[in-house]
């Protein structure tokens, strides 16, 4: 096999290096394309463009494979805690017992928010969207810890900044919810695990501490593990683009939160539940919605279906579908939306439109039903995604520095007016 790609252009031949990744993914290195040929490539939405080399996460969309640092998602989902998974994603290896203890202690130490931050939450309107609060508060928190405003890319400085972020994001999220429902803030309890502590800060009431059942804690842990990283998606690419200007970690992930918010990305989990609710309320047959999703002149899409990379089942949706069944059973609950979701999946799997386009349920299709079962309110779903994705964002920000990534600066092809002269207003 040739180790060069040959491009024939304007009667000349140009050679470009080929590169093969550790899972045999191949690329043509066009770093010098413009310099050598005067041409750029056009790839709107970046479906064919690699933006970096990465050791963190591997996705094979054709086979439905997802691995963090080489470990299959199925194994991590079954056996690992979110904190262990976060350590793996950040540092490349599963932690020893000692390292896990130190890491957990560090998360525990950084969980409280500065007292003055309380006033910033209190100044917000109660209907402020939690994703806007999360993004703003991440930058706000950094103001109270000026040492994280320095760009720590390795060593103890990075360890501390990463732990601070991973821990405080959970407190910010819970406080955003408490503020919205007009209830007093709960302070983190250092005796609780990462997941229990979050649930305690969300749901404990004065004189009534919330102790989650093991089923609920396990379900939240699973949700977070499944969202911990997913290579160069929209929000992670945003974190890398912002970080490439050497912006600090907090401001980079704050931009990541904004990118995640949209309904085509992390906002899809709440959009799925809204869609299922609407189907239930309307009493209309599912085929009406499928028809609408297929109609060329209709912007309606089946939320929770389709993926840029997976052209087969998203392995996370398979895990979640099974987990939702188990959790509802163990909690002795029923959710009519689950029946609608299952039926919708069944119908689309037999439909030529969905088959031809390889549209399968993605991670967001069943995750909302899991979050509903554990009592998380709808407008918090994308925030839950952001808490889960934090290790991936941090690891990608870290890696771009380790790999000395150049500042991100795509080119464009200009299609506007040619040069023209300014005319005084009375001549226009
Ligand atoms: N319902 C109906 N048709 C769809 C859907 C859908 N959910 N998704 C894609 N299509 C059609 C689309 O209309 C197009 O058809 P045609 O070739 O006839 O024009 C074809 O499938 C390819 O779609 P695309 O928009 O070019 O695909 P994309 O890779 O640009 O977009 C996506 C991927 C996930 C944004 C899209 O599938 C979508 O909008 N899905 C619904 C929102 C959603 O569930 N998002 C969560 C994504 S997974 C978690 C995450 O990354 O956040």
């Amino acid at each position: 096999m040739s180790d060069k790609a040959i491009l024939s252009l304007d009667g000349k031949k140009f050679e470009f290096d080929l590169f093969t990744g550790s899972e045999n993914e191949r690329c043509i290195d066009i770093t010098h394309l413009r310099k050598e040929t005067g041409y750029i490539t056009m790839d709107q939405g970046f479906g064919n463009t690699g933006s970096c080399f990465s050791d963190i996460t591997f996705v094979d969309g054709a086979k439905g494979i997802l691995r963090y640092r080489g470990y299959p998602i199925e194994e991590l989902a079954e056996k690992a805690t979110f904190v262990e998974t976060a350590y793996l994603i950040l540092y490349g290896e599963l932690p020893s017992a000692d390292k896990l203890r130190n890491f957990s202690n560090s998360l525990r130490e950084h969980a409280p928010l500065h007292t003055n931050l309380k006033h910033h939450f209190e100044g917000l309107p109660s209907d402020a969207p939690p994703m806007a609060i999360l993004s703003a508060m991440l930058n706000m928190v950094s103001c109270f810890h000026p040492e994280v405003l320095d760009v720590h890319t390795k060593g103890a400085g990075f360890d501390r900044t990463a732990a601070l972020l991973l821990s405080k994001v959970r407190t910010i999220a819970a406080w955003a919810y408490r503020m919205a429902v007009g209830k007093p803030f709960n302070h983190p309890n250092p005796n609780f695990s990462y997941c229990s502590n979050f649930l305690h800060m969300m749901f404990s009431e004065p004189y009534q501490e919330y102790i989650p059942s093991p089923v609920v804690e396990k379900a939240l842990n699973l949700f977070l593990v499944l969202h911990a990283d997913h290579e160069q998606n929209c929000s992670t690419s945003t974190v890398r683009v912002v970080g490439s200007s050497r912006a600090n970690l907090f401001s980079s992930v704050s931009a990541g939160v904004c990118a995640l918010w949209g309904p085509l990305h992390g906002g899809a989990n709440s959009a799925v539940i809204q869609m299922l609710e609407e189907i239930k309320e309307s009493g209309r047959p599912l085929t009406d919605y499928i028809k609408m999703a297929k109609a060329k002149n209709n912007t309606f899409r089946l939320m929770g279906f389709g993926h840029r990379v997976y052209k087969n089942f998203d392995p996370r949706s398979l895990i979640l579908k099974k987990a939702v069944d188990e959790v509802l059973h163990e909690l002795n609950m029923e959710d009519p939306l689950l029946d609608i979701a299952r039926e919708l999946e069944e119908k689309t799997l037999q439909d030529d439109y969905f088959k031809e386009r390889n549209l399968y349920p993605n991670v967001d299709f069943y995750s909302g039903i899991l979050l509903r079962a554990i009592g998380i309110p709808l407008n918090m779903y994308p925030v839950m995604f952001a808490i889960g994705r934090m290790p991936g964002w941090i690891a990608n920000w870290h890696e771009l520095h380790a790999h000395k990534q150049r500042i991100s600066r795509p080119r464009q092809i200009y299609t506007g007016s040619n040069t023209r002269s300014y005319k005084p207003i009375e001549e226009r």
Side-chain angles (χ1 to χ4, degrees):
M1 203 184 297
S2 160
D3 57 355
K4 298 274 180 207
I6 316 280
L7 176 67
S8 177
L9 210 55
D10 300 335
K12 287 193 203 139
K13 285 203 181 331
F14 301 91
E15 285 192 349
F16 297 95
D17 289 338
L18 298 178
F19 186 86
T20 305
S22 49
E23 291 288 344
N24 293 323
E25 285 183 305
R26 311 198 72 206
C27 78
I28 305 167
D29 182 346
I30 57 156
T31 307
H32 302 293
L33 177 74
R34 187 174 169 279
K35 205 160 122 196
E36 290 180 18
T37 67
Y39 283 77
I40 62 166
T41 54
M42 181 57 68
D43 183 22
Q44 294 181 47
F46 307 129
N48 306 285
T49 299
S51 61
C52 60
F53 294 100
S54 180
D55 303 343
I56 305 167
T57 288
F58 172 67
V59 179
D60 183 329
K63 295 190 184 137
I65 291 173
L66 166 61
R67 297 183 203 128
Y68 301 156
R69 302 284 190 183
Y71 293 96
I73 191 63
E74 292 78 5
E75 260 187 73
L76 294 170
E78 191 189 331
K79 299 175 184 158
T81 65
F82 175 62
V83 173
E84 224 181 343
T85 305
Y87 185 99
L88 169 70
I89 289 175
L90 291 186
Y91 296 108
E93 296 298 335
L94 284 167
S96 63
D98 263 2
K99 285 188 170 149
L100 184 60
R101 198 173 313 112
N102 290 341
F103 188 54
S104 300
N105 285 341
S106 183
L107 296 180
R108 218 162 269 138
E109 180 197 331
H110 294 303
L113 297 181
H114 193 285
T115 333
N116 289 351
L117 264 168
K118 213 171 144 214
H119 308 307
H120 292 279
F121 280 94
E122 285 164 350
L124 288 162
S126 63
D127 58 353
M131 284 297 262
I133 301 178
L134 181 62
S135 175
M137 285 299 168
L138 284 168
N139 270 320
M140 194 68 77
V141 164
S142 70
C143 303
F144 288 88
H145 301 272
E147 70 282 7
V148 305
L149 296 173
D150 292 334
V151 178
H152 297 287
T153 59
K154 52 187 174 209
F158 170 73
D159 295 346
R160 187 170 186 284
T161 311
L164 205 133
L165 178 52
L166 209 49
S167 188
K168 291 201 191 301
V169 66
R170 167 187 57 156
T171 317
I172 298 173
W175 282 26
Y177 166 69
R178 299 293 292 182
M179 189 274 305
V181 290
K183 293 190 167 180
F185 299 129
N186 291 315
H187 292 281
N189 183 333
N191 300 318
F192 288 168
S193 71
Y194 189 92
C195 291
S196 300
N197 215 347
F198 171 71
L199 293 164
H200 145 70
M201 287 190 276
M202 288 281 289
F203 302 126
S204 282
E205 301 303 344
Y207 310 112
Q208 201 183 351
E209 188 159 58
Y210 176 91
I211 312 274
S213 76
V215 179
V216 167
E217 187 184 351
K218 196 172 150 214
L220 176 58
N221 186 72
L222 174 74
F223 174 91
L224 296 177
V225 168
L226 294 180
H227 287 77
D229 193 38
H230 209 249
E231 53 120 304
Q232 304 313 313
N233 52 80
C234 177
S235 56
T236 303
S237 299
T238 300
V239 171
R240 276 199 181 245
V241 167
V242 176
S244 77
S245 75
R246 306 303 180 251
N248 70 71
L249 179 61
F250 274 68
S251 53
S252 303
V253 300
S254 161
V257 169
C258 295
L260 186 71
W261 192 356
L264 299 189
H265 192 11
N269 54 15
S270 50
V272 168
I273 296 296
Q274 281 164 331
M275 176 186 79
L276 295 175
E277 290 274 17
E278 193 205 304
I279 295 174
K280 180 170 147 273
E281 296 306 315
S282 75
R284 286 165 63 190
L286 283 177
T287 43
D288 278 10
Y289 289 88
I290 294 177
K291 218 183 271 170
M292 258 184 347
K294 297 193 306 189
K296 271 272 167 247
N297 53 359
N298 197 324
T299 53
F300 175 78
R301 282 189 166 194
L302 285 187
M303 299 313 285
F305 276 83
H307 198 277
R308 172 62 62 79
V309 181
Y310 291 119
K311 298 302 167 199
N312 196 321
F313 269 97
D314 177 338
R316 301 166 299 176
S317 92
L318 294 177
I319 297 169
L320 279 164
K321 186 180 177 186
K322 193 160 160 265
V324 161
D325 266 338
E326 287 166 6
V327 169
L328 288 176
H329 176 73
E330 286 177 50
L331 294 176
N332 206 11
M333 282 168 80
E334 279 181 13
D335 190 338
L337 298 193
L338 180 58
D339 298 330
I340 299 174
R342 281 210 207 95
E343 203 187 326
L344 194 56
E345 177 182 346
E346 236 168 71
K347 286 203 159 33
T348 53
L349 288 179
Q350 290 157 14
D351 190 294
D352 284 345
Y353 174 95
F354 288 83
K355 281 201 264 185
E356 279 158 17
R357 290 166 181 75
N358 298 308
L359 300 171
Y360 294 91
N362 57 48
V363 68
D364 294 312
F365 192 60
Y366 287 106
S367 66
I369 298 178
L370 188 79
L371 293 174
R372 247 161 91 90
I374 63 180
I376 306 291
L378 186 69
N379 64 352
M380 287 290 288
Y381 293 3
V383 171
M384 303 305 294
F385 194 147
I387 299 175
R389 188 51 53 86
M390 206 47 81
W393 288 340
I394 301 172
N396 273 276
W397 182 92
H398 181 251
E399 191 176 70
L400 85 89
H401 287 282
H403 291 182
K404 299 189 170 43
Q405 188 178 309
R406 292 171 81 196
I407 187 166
S408 291
R409 205 310 185 180
R411 295 262 173 180
Q412 65 165 23
I413 295 293
Y414 175 68
T415 53
S417 304
N418 295 114
T419 187
R420 42 190 177 159
S421 286
Y422 177 86
K423 280 193 188 127
I425 197 154
E426 59 277 7
E427 288 177 29
R428 285 176 222 161

